[in-house]
Amino acid sequence: MTPADRHDYLGEGLLEQHLAATPWRQASAWLEAARERAAAEGDVPEPTAMSVATVDAAGRPDVRTVLMRFFDPSGPGFVTNLESAKGRQLAGNAGIAASLTWPAMYRAVRFRGTAHRLPEEQVRDYFGHRPWGSRVSAWASRQSQVIEGREGLEAAYARYAAQWPDRGGVDDVPVPPFWGGYRITCDEVEFWAGRRDRLHDRLVFVRAGEGDLDDPSAWRVERRQP
């Protein structure tokens, strides 16, 4: 490694007195700041890109990146093919971890908890507002399954596109029976803020009782060493 490979983290950090009262309020503030930075500077692409980690049947971790499509006091949520690797793994072990990372801002938010299936009504409502091409591709792709070459994927897409042409309606393409989503019920939410000399700030909301992400009585805060 050369000196040019090293980069000091020049973030603002995060002190306890500046931390919001709940993980929902803190995460919402950081997410909004990331969206504003993406629009103004262009160096925070896909601010809702979220790494999601699950565990397979052999106990081995697996991670991939999805888009956080929902975020409210009940937790972050995402959509997926339920027969994908993550869907199969969550069916066997609902434990899950996820993170939003914005390197240009020296910030990250980490969620740990349990995955719960989204209600079908919420899935249908969201699916209808996806672009027509994305709805078609949800049928064409048997996510995580092996396929011989790209031609098979494109042929499947063409087949479904012909079956359900774009007429501009939310009901043009039905929701696949194998498609849905998950909400993360959090036990921990960590806010990581990069600092010089690797003396980063890590403030963690740890569940202390019943309640959602915006219930102050449900959480206690602890600082962890970087």
Side-chain angles (χ1 to χ4, degrees), residues 128-145:
H129 289 87
R130 283 167 67 98
W132 172 80
S134 295
R135 284 177 277 164
V136 172
S137 69
W139 280 93
S141 173
R142 295 300 191 263
Q143 195 175 96
S144 301
Q145 295 186 24

mmCIF file with all atom_site columns, all heavy atoms in Angstrom, residues 128-145:
data_model
loop_
_atom_site.group_PDB
_atom_site.id
_atom_site.type_symbol
_atom_site.label_atom_id
_atom_site.label_alt_id
_atom_site.label_comp_id
_atom_site.label_asym_id
_atom_site.label_entity_id
_atom_site.label_seq_id
_atom_site.pdbx_PDB_ins_code
_atom_site.Cartn_x
_atom_site.Cartn_y
_atom_site.Cartn_z
_atom_site.occupancy
_atom_site.B_iso_or_equiv
_atom_site.pdbx_formal_charge
_atom_site.auth_seq_id
_atom_site.auth_comp_id
_atom_site.auth_asym_id
_atom_site.auth_atom_id
_atom_site.pdbx_PDB_model_num
ATOM 1   N N   . GLY A 1 128 ? -47.383 -1.187  -8.164  1.00 0.00 ? 128 GLY A N   1
ATOM 2   C CA  . GLY A 1 128 ? -48.097 -0.443  -9.188  1.00 0.00 ? 128 GLY A CA  1
ATOM 3   C C   . GLY A 1 128 ? -47.449 0.877   -9.546  1.00 0.00 ? 128 GLY A C   1
ATOM 4   O O   . GLY A 1 128 ? -47.716 1.429   -10.623 1.00 0.00 ? 128 GLY A O   1
ATOM 5   N N   . HIS A 1 129 ? -46.613 1.402   -8.673  1.00 0.00 ? 129 HIS A N   1
ATOM 6   C CA  . HIS A 1 129 ? -45.956 2.685   -8.931  1.00 0.00 ? 129 HIS A CA  1
ATOM 7   C C   . HIS A 1 129 ? -44.535 2.517   -9.473  1.00 0.00 ? 129 HIS A C   1
ATOM 8   O O   . HIS A 1 129 ? -43.859 3.517   -9.728  1.00 0.00 ? 129 HIS A O   1
ATOM 9   C CB  . HIS A 1 129 ? -45.944 3.532   -7.657  1.00 0.00 ? 129 HIS A CB  1
ATOM 10  C CG  . HIS A 1 129 ? -47.299 4.048   -7.277  1.00 0.00 ? 129 HIS A CG  1
ATOM 11  N ND1 . HIS A 1 129 ? -48.188 3.324   -6.507  1.00 0.00 ? 129 HIS A ND1 1
ATOM 12  C CD2 . HIS A 1 129 ? -47.942 5.210   -7.595  1.00 0.00 ? 129 HIS A CD2 1
ATOM 13  C CE1 . HIS A 1 129 ? -49.308 4.023   -6.350  1.00 0.00 ? 129 HIS A CE1 1
ATOM 14  N NE2 . HIS A 1 129 ? -49.183 5.154   -6.998  1.00 0.00 ? 129 HIS A NE2 1
ATOM 15  N N   . ARG A 1 130 ? -44.091 1.278   -9.646  1.00 0.00 ? 130 ARG A N   1
ATOM 16  C CA  . ARG A 1 130 ? -42.807 1.069   -10.301 1.00 0.00 ? 130 ARG A CA  1
ATOM 17  C C   . ARG A 1 130 ? -42.932 1.353   -11.785 1.00 0.00 ? 130 ARG A C   1
ATOM 18  O O   . ARG A 1 130 ? -44.020 1.214   -12.368 1.00 0.00 ? 130 ARG A O   1
ATOM 19  C CB  . ARG A 1 130 ? -42.364 -0.394  -10.110 1.00 0.00 ? 130 ARG A CB  1
ATOM 20  C CG  . ARG A 1 130 ? -41.814 -0.702  -8.742  1.00 0.00 ? 130 ARG A CG  1
ATOM 21  C CD  . ARG A 1 130 ? -41.708 -2.192  -8.521  1.00 0.00 ? 130 ARG A CD  1
ATOM 22  N NE  . ARG A 1 130 ? -40.722 -2.837  -9.367  1.00 0.00 ? 130 ARG A NE  1
ATOM 23  C CZ  . ARG A 1 130 ? -39.484 -3.142  -8.988  1.00 0.00 ? 130 ARG A CZ  1
ATOM 24  N NH1 . ARG A 1 130 ? -39.085 -2.840  -7.761  1.00 0.00 ? 130 ARG A NH1 1
ATOM 25  N NH2 . ARG A 1 130 ? -38.657 -3.754  -9.792  1.00 0.00 ? 130 ARG A NH2 1
ATOM 26  N N   . PRO A 1 131 ? -41.836 1.759   -12.452 1.00 0.00 ? 131 PRO A N   1
ATOM 27  C CA  . PRO A 1 131 ? -41.898 1.903   -13.906 1.00 0.00 ? 131 PRO A CA  1
ATOM 28  C C   . PRO A 1 131 ? -42.331 0.596   -14.561 1.00 0.00 ? 131 PRO A C   1
ATOM 29  O O   . PRO A 1 131 ? -42.038 -0.501  -14.054 1.00 0.00 ? 131 PRO A O   1
ATOM 30  C CB  . PRO A 1 131 ? -40.457 2.265   -14.284 1.00 0.00 ? 131 PRO A CB  1
ATOM 31  C CG  . PRO A 1 131 ? -39.866 2.842   -13.039 1.00 0.00 ? 131 PRO A CG  1
ATOM 32  C CD  . PRO A 1 131 ? -40.523 2.113   -11.903 1.00 0.00 ? 131 PRO A CD  1
ATOM 33  N N   . TRP A 1 132 ? -43.035 0.707   -15.693 1.00 0.00 ? 132 TRP A N   1
ATOM 34  C CA  . TRP A 1 132 ? -43.553 -0.490  -16.372 1.00 0.00 ? 132 TRP A CA  1
ATOM 35  C C   . TRP A 1 132 ? -42.445 -1.508  -16.615 1.00 0.00 ? 132 TRP A C   1
ATOM 36  O O   . TRP A 1 132 ? -42.615 -2.703  -16.359 1.00 0.00 ? 132 TRP A O   1
ATOM 37  C CB  . TRP A 1 132 ? -44.198 -0.071  -17.695 1.00 0.00 ? 132 TRP A CB  1
ATOM 38  C CG  . TRP A 1 132 ? -44.587 -1.222  -18.567 1.00 0.00 ? 132 TRP A CG  1
ATOM 39  C CD1 . TRP A 1 132 ? -45.706 -1.998  -18.459 1.00 0.00 ? 132 TRP A CD1 1
ATOM 40  C CD2 . TRP A 1 132 ? -43.841 -1.740  -19.673 1.00 0.00 ? 132 TRP A CD2 1
ATOM 41  N NE1 . TRP A 1 132 ? -45.721 -2.965  -19.431 1.00 0.00 ? 132 TRP A NE1 1
ATOM 42  C CE2 . TRP A 1 132 ? -44.584 -2.830  -20.200 1.00 0.00 ? 132 TRP A CE2 1
ATOM 43  C CE3 . TRP A 1 132 ? -42.638 -1.388  -20.282 1.00 0.00 ? 132 TRP A CE3 1
ATOM 44  C CZ2 . TRP A 1 132 ? -44.141 -3.560  -21.299 1.00 0.00 ? 132 TRP A CZ2 1
ATOM 45  C CZ3 . TRP A 1 132 ? -42.193 -2.111  -21.375 1.00 0.00 ? 132 TRP A CZ3 1
ATOM 46  C CH2 . TRP A 1 132 ? -42.950 -3.190  -21.872 1.00 0.00 ? 132 TRP A CH2 1
ATOM 47  N N   . GLY A 1 133 ? -41.274 -1.063  -17.097 1.00 0.00 ? 133 GLY A N   1
ATOM 48  C CA  . GLY A 1 133 ? -40.181 -1.989  -17.383 1.00 0.00 ? 133 GLY A CA  1
ATOM 49  C C   . GLY A 1 133 ? -39.701 -2.729  -16.150 1.00 0.00 ? 133 GLY A C   1
ATOM 50  O O   . GLY A 1 133 ? -39.339 -3.910  -16.230 1.00 0.00 ? 133 GLY A O   1
ATOM 51  N N   . SER A 1 134 ? -39.709 -2.065  -15.007 1.00 0.00 ? 134 SER A N   1
ATOM 52  C CA  . SER A 1 134 ? -39.286 -2.723  -13.763 1.00 0.00 ? 134 SER A CA  1
ATOM 53  C C   . SER A 1 134 ? -40.299 -3.768  -13.326 1.00 0.00 ? 134 SER A C   1
ATOM 54  O O   . SER A 1 134 ? -39.939 -4.797  -12.737 1.00 0.00 ? 134 SER A O   1
ATOM 55  C CB  . SER A 1 134 ? -39.102 -1.677  -12.661 1.00 0.00 ? 134 SER A CB  1
ATOM 56  O OG  . SER A 1 134 ? -38.042 -0.795  -12.973 1.00 0.00 ? 134 SER A OG  1
ATOM 57  N N   . ARG A 1 135 ? -41.575 -3.506  -13.600 1.00 0.00 ? 135 ARG A N   1
ATOM 58  C CA  . ARG A 1 135 ? -42.594 -4.498  -13.260 1.00 0.00 ? 135 ARG A CA  1
ATOM 59  C C   . ARG A 1 135 ? -42.453 -5.738  -14.142 1.00 0.00 ? 135 ARG A C   1
ATOM 60  O O   . ARG A 1 135 ? -42.598 -6.870  -13.674 1.00 0.00 ? 135 ARG A O   1
ATOM 61  C CB  . ARG A 1 135 ? -43.989 -3.884  -13.397 1.00 0.00 ? 135 ARG A CB  1
ATOM 62  C CG  . ARG A 1 135 ? -44.364 -2.943  -12.263 1.00 0.00 ? 135 ARG A CG  1
ATOM 63  C CD  . ARG A 1 135 ? -45.713 -2.304  -12.484 1.00 0.00 ? 135 ARG A CD  1
ATOM 64  N NE  . ARG A 1 135 ? -45.601 -1.146  -13.368 1.00 0.00 ? 135 ARG A NE  1
ATOM 65  C CZ  . ARG A 1 135 ? -46.632 -0.575  -13.982 1.00 0.00 ? 135 ARG A CZ  1
ATOM 66  N NH1 . ARG A 1 135 ? -47.851 -1.081  -13.827 1.00 0.00 ? 135 ARG A NH1 1
ATOM 67  N NH2 . ARG A 1 135 ? -46.460 0.485   -14.738 1.00 0.00 ? 135 ARG A NH2 1
ATOM 68  N N   . VAL A 1 136 ? -42.164 -5.520  -15.424 1.00 0.00 ? 136 VAL A N   1
ATOM 69  C CA  . VAL A 1 136 ? -41.975 -6.651  -16.332 1.00 0.00 ? 136 VAL A CA  1
ATOM 70  C C   . VAL A 1 136 ? -40.758 -7.469  -15.920 1.00 0.00 ? 136 VAL A C   1
ATOM 71  O O   . VAL A 1 136 ? -40.791 -8.706  -15.900 1.00 0.00 ? 136 VAL A O   1
ATOM 72  C CB  . VAL A 1 136 ? -41.833 -6.155  -17.785 1.00 0.00 ? 136 VAL A CB  1
ATOM 73  C CG1 . VAL A 1 136 ? -41.442 -7.305  -18.713 1.00 0.00 ? 136 VAL A CG1 1
ATOM 74  C CG2 . VAL A 1 136 ? -43.127 -5.522  -18.267 1.00 0.00 ? 136 VAL A CG2 1
ATOM 75  N N   . SER A 1 137 ? -39.668 -6.787  -15.569 1.00 0.00 ? 137 SER A N   1
ATOM 76  C CA  . SER A 1 137 ? -38.445 -7.505  -15.204 1.00 0.00 ? 137 SER A CA  1
ATOM 77  C C   . SER A 1 137 ? -38.618 -8.316  -13.925 1.00 0.00 ? 137 SER A C   1
ATOM 78  O O   . SER A 1 137 ? -37.923 -9.314  -13.716 1.00 0.00 ? 137 SER A O   1
ATOM 79  C CB  . SER A 1 137 ? -37.265 -6.537  -15.063 1.00 0.00 ? 137 SER A CB  1
ATOM 80  O OG  . SER A 1 137 ? -37.420 -5.694  -13.935 1.00 0.00 ? 137 SER A OG  1
ATOM 81  N N   . ALA A 1 138 ? -39.547 -7.913  -13.057 1.00 0.00 ? 138 ALA A N   1
ATOM 82  C CA  . ALA A 1 138 ? -39.813 -8.694  -11.854 1.00 0.00 ? 138 ALA A CA  1
ATOM 83  C C   . ALA A 1 138 ? -40.325 -10.086 -12.217 1.00 0.00 ? 138 ALA A C   1
ATOM 84  O O   . ALA A 1 138 ? -40.059 -11.063 -11.508 1.00 0.00 ? 138 ALA A O   1
ATOM 85  C CB  . ALA A 1 138 ? -40.821 -7.970  -10.962 1.00 0.00 ? 138 ALA A CB  1
ATOM 86  N N   . TRP A 1 139 ? -41.049 -10.203 -13.316 1.00 0.00 ? 139 TRP A N   1
ATOM 87  C CA  . TRP A 1 139 ? -41.516 -11.497 -13.810 1.00 0.00 ? 139 TRP A CA  1
ATOM 88  C C   . TRP A 1 139 ? -40.400 -12.225 -14.549 1.00 0.00 ? 139 TRP A C   1
ATOM 89  O O   . TRP A 1 139 ? -40.258 -13.446 -14.437 1.00 0.00 ? 139 TRP A O   1
ATOM 90  C CB  . TRP A 1 139 ? -42.706 -11.304 -14.759 1.00 0.00 ? 139 TRP A CB  1
ATOM 91  C CG  . TRP A 1 139 ? -44.001 -11.086 -14.073 1.00 0.00 ? 139 TRP A CG  1
ATOM 92  C CD1 . TRP A 1 139 ? -44.569 -9.879  -13.744 1.00 0.00 ? 139 TRP A CD1 1
ATOM 93  C CD2 . TRP A 1 139 ? -44.918 -12.079 -13.625 1.00 0.00 ? 139 TRP A CD2 1
ATOM 94  N NE1 . TRP A 1 139 ? -45.764 -10.064 -13.118 1.00 0.00 ? 139 TRP A NE1 1
ATOM 95  C CE2 . TRP A 1 139 ? -46.013 -11.413 -13.036 1.00 0.00 ? 139 TRP A CE2 1
ATOM 96  C CE3 . TRP A 1 139 ? -44.921 -13.469 -13.660 1.00 0.00 ? 139 TRP A CE3 1
ATOM 97  C CZ2 . TRP A 1 139 ? -47.104 -12.089 -12.488 1.00 0.00 ? 139 TRP A CZ2 1
ATOM 98  C CZ3 . TRP A 1 139 ? -46.005 -14.160 -13.124 1.00 0.00 ? 139 TRP A CZ3 1
ATOM 99  C CH2 . TRP A 1 139 ? -47.081 -13.470 -12.540 1.00 0.00 ? 139 TRP A CH2 1
ATOM 100 N N   . ALA A 1 140 ? -39.625 -11.491 -15.339 1.00 0.00 ? 140 ALA A N   1
ATOM 101 C CA  . ALA A 1 140 ? -38.642 -12.127 -16.217 1.00 0.00 ? 140 ALA A CA  1
ATOM 102 C C   . ALA A 1 140 ? -37.472 -12.728 -15.461 1.00 0.00 ? 140 ALA A C   1
ATOM 103 O O   . ALA A 1 140 ? -36.910 -13.745 -15.876 1.00 0.00 ? 140 ALA A O   1
ATOM 104 C CB  . ALA A 1 140 ? -38.125 -11.099 -17.230 1.00 0.00 ? 140 ALA A CB  1
ATOM 105 N N   . SER A 1 141 ? -37.087 -12.118 -14.344 1.00 0.00 ? 141 SER A N   1
ATOM 106 C CA  . SER A 1 141 ? -35.901 -12.566 -13.619 1.00 0.00 ? 141 SER A CA  1
ATOM 107 C C   . SER A 1 141 ? -36.267 -13.484 -12.465 1.00 0.00 ? 141 SER A C   1
ATOM 108 O O   . SER A 1 141 ? -36.991 -13.091 -11.553 1.00 0.00 ? 141 SER A O   1
ATOM 109 C CB  . SER A 1 141 ? -35.126 -11.360 -13.077 1.00 0.00 ? 141 SER A CB  1
ATOM 110 O OG  . SER A 1 141 ? -34.077 -11.774 -12.235 1.00 0.00 ? 141 SER A OG  1
ATOM 111 N N   . ARG A 1 142 ? -35.776 -14.707 -12.508 1.00 0.00 ? 142 ARG A N   1
ATOM 112 C CA  . ARG A 1 142 ? -35.878 -15.622 -11.370 1.00 0.00 ? 142 ARG A CA  1
ATOM 113 C C   . ARG A 1 142 ? -34.631 -15.399 -10.528 1.00 0.00 ? 142 ARG A C   1
ATOM 114 O O   . ARG A 1 142 ? -33.653 -16.131 -10.620 1.00 0.00 ? 142 ARG A O   1
ATOM 115 C CB  . ARG A 1 142 ? -36.000 -17.071 -11.838 1.00 0.00 ? 142 ARG A CB  1
ATOM 116 C CG  . ARG A 1 142 ? -37.288 -17.349 -12.600 1.00 0.00 ? 142 ARG A CG  1
ATOM 117 C CD  . ARG A 1 142 ? -38.517 -17.050 -11.732 1.00 0.00 ? 142 ARG A CD  1
ATOM 118 N NE  . ARG A 1 142 ? -39.754 -17.546 -12.335 1.00 0.00 ? 142 ARG A NE  1
ATOM 119 C CZ  . ARG A 1 142 ? -40.593 -16.812 -13.052 1.00 0.00 ? 142 ARG A CZ  1
ATOM 120 N NH1 . ARG A 1 142 ? -40.309 -15.540 -13.282 1.00 0.00 ? 142 ARG A NH1 1
ATOM 121 N NH2 . ARG A 1 142 ? -41.699 -17.330 -13.540 1.00 0.00 ? 142 ARG A NH2 1
ATOM 122 N N   . GLN A 1 143 ? -34.697 -14.383 -9.720  1.00 0.00 ? 143 GLN A N   1
ATOM 123 C CA  . GLN A 1 143 ? -33.532 -13.839 -9.027  1.00 0.00 ? 143 GLN A CA  1
ATOM 124 C C   . GLN A 1 143 ? -32.726 -14.908 -8.301  1.00 0.00 ? 143 GLN A C   1
ATOM 125 O O   . GLN A 1 143 ? -33.280 -15.748 -7.603  1.00 0.00 ? 143 GLN A O   1
ATOM 126 C CB  . GLN A 1 143 ? -34.002 -12.769 -8.043  1.00 0.00 ? 143 GLN A CB  1
ATOM 127 C CG  . GLN A 1 143 ? -32.906 -11.865 -7.517  1.00 0.00 ? 143 GLN A CG  1
ATOM 128 C CD  . GLN A 1 143 ? -33.514 -10.779 -6.639  1.00 0.00 ? 143 GLN A CD  1
ATOM 129 O OE1 . GLN A 1 143 ? -33.556 -10.898 -5.434  1.00 0.00 ? 143 GLN A OE1 1
ATOM 130 N NE2 . GLN A 1 143 ? -33.979 -9.710  -7.255  1.00 0.00 ? 143 GLN A NE2 1
ATOM 131 N N   . SER A 1 144 ? -31.413 -14.858 -8.486  1.00 0.00 ? 144 SER A N   1
ATOM 132 C CA  . SER A 1 144 ? -30.419 -15.733 -7.862  1.00 0.00 ? 144 SER A CA  1
ATOM 133 C C   . SER A 1 144 ? -30.300 -17.095 -8.533  1.00 0.00 ? 144 SER A C   1
ATOM 134 O O   . SER A 1 144 ? -29.377 -17.845 -8.210  1.00 0.00 ? 144 SER A O   1
ATOM 135 C CB  . SER A 1 144 ? -30.687 -15.943 -6.359  1.00 0.00 ? 144 SER A CB  1
ATOM 136 O OG  . SER A 1 144 ? -30.686 -14.704 -5.665  1.00 0.00 ? 144 SER A OG  1
ATOM 137 N N   . GLN A 1 145 ? -31.207 -17.436 -9.456  1.00 0.00 ? 145 GLN A N   1
ATOM 138 C CA  . GLN A 1 145 ? -31.106 -18.727 -10.126 1.00 0.00 ? 145 GLN A CA  1
ATOM 139 C C   . GLN A 1 145 ? -30.131 -18.647 -11.296 1.00 0.00 ? 145 GLN A C   1
ATOM 140 O O   . GLN A 1 145 ? -29.966 -17.599 -11.922 1.00 0.00 ? 145 GLN A O   1
ATOM 141 C CB  . GLN A 1 145 ? -32.484 -19.185 -10.610 1.00 0.00 ? 145 GLN A CB  1
ATOM 142 C CG  . GLN A 1 145 ? -33.457 -19.456 -9.482  1.00 0.00 ? 145 GLN A CG  1
ATOM 143 C CD  . GLN A 1 145 ? -34.769 -20.046 -9.966  1.00 0.00 ? 145 GLN A CD  1
ATOM 144 O OE1 . GLN A 1 145 ? -34.820 -20.646 -11.027 1.00 0.00 ? 145 GLN A OE1 1
ATOM 145 N NE2 . GLN A 1 145 ? -35.821 -19.868 -9.183  1.00 0.00 ? 145 GLN A NE2 1
#
